[in-house]
Amino acid sequence: ECFQDPDWENTSSYLLYKALLHSAGDFLSCSQVNAKKKRLEPIIEYLDENYSKDISLGDVADFANVSKTHLCRLFKDAYKIRPFEYMTQIRIKKAKEMMQMYPKMLTSEISDFVGFKSHSYFTMLFKKSENMTPSEFRNMF
């Protein structure tokens, strides 16, 4: 049927070219995100190593030698979250690991150890992240 179209070669060529451009755009977009993530690697390592400390956005921006606004933009572009949302994810993950490793340790001690100043704030964020309280999580084991 397409061979009956006198312009089928041009149409096919156009569609193929359009598909290639679309694929190239996806590739470029993916490599741009990868470049942004690569740029953030030292910052990610810094956050991974210092999750239990009381660090501010300014501390992280100073470490990265960028402004706080630029740091937030970099994170948003690469990970679709803000730097301290990433930090919260690390802290929740570490708290879950500790609850499993140290079943007798108080949840309030764990929340302090992983860097939360307030046990109630930790509980609220944990529930938001995991759809259960720390106690409910702990009771699973």
Side-chain angles (χ1 to χ4, degrees):
E1 185 174 309
C2 68
F3 294 112
Q4 294 173 355
D5 179 1
D7 205 28
W8 75 272
E9 287 178 341
N10 289 338
T11 302
S12 299
S13 178
Y14 167 76
L15 292 173
L16 179 60
Y17 181 72
K18 188 174 174 181
L20 287 171
L21 281 179
H22 182 70
S23 295
D26 288 348
F27 175 76
L28 289 174
S29 173
C30 184
S31 57
Q32 287 171 343
V33 168
N34 287 340
K36 289 175 184 176
K37 286 184 178 180
K38 186 91 171 143
R39 163 90 165 89
L40 289 172
E41 280 178 5
I43 301 165
I44 294 295
E45 287 177 23
Y46 176 79
L47 293 173
D48 287 343
E49 292 170 5
N50 294 286
Y51 68 89
S52 63
K53 297 177 183 164
D54 184 19
I55 56 175
S56 69
L57 184 61
D59 295 331
V60 181
D62 288 345
F63 170 81
N65 202 27
V66 296
S67 72
K68 293 186 273 190
T69 304
H70 188 64
L71 176 65
C72 288
R73 190 176 315 114
L74 287 171
F75 250 85
K76 203 73 159 153
D77 289 348
Y79 292 103
K80 309 295 184 229
I81 58 174
R82 295 182 305 245
F84 276 87
E85 289 173 309
Y86 179 83
M87 178 70 88
T88 297
Q89 290 176 356
I90 294 170
R91 289 175 170 166
I92 297 291
K93 178 182 173 221
K94 297 294 185 182
K96 287 167 54 178
E97 290 171 4
M98 289 186 72
M99 283 187 259
Q100 292 174 41
M101 289 172 51
Y102 308 105
K104 296 196 187 302
M105 191 173 190
L106 296 175
T107 308
S108 58
E109 293 174 320
I110 291 172
S111 71
D112 288 341
F113 185 83
V114 298
F116 287 100
K117 294 178 188 174
S118 160
H119 178 65
S120 59
Y121 184 61
F122 163 70
T123 301
M124 181 196 72
L125 289 177
F126 191 98
K127 185 167 182 154
K128 183 179 177 186
S129 170
E130 304 302 312
N131 294 317
M132 66 179 75
T133 66
S135 298
E136 290 169 335
F137 176 81
R138 182 173 259 168
N139 289 335
M140 290 173 45
F141 301 97

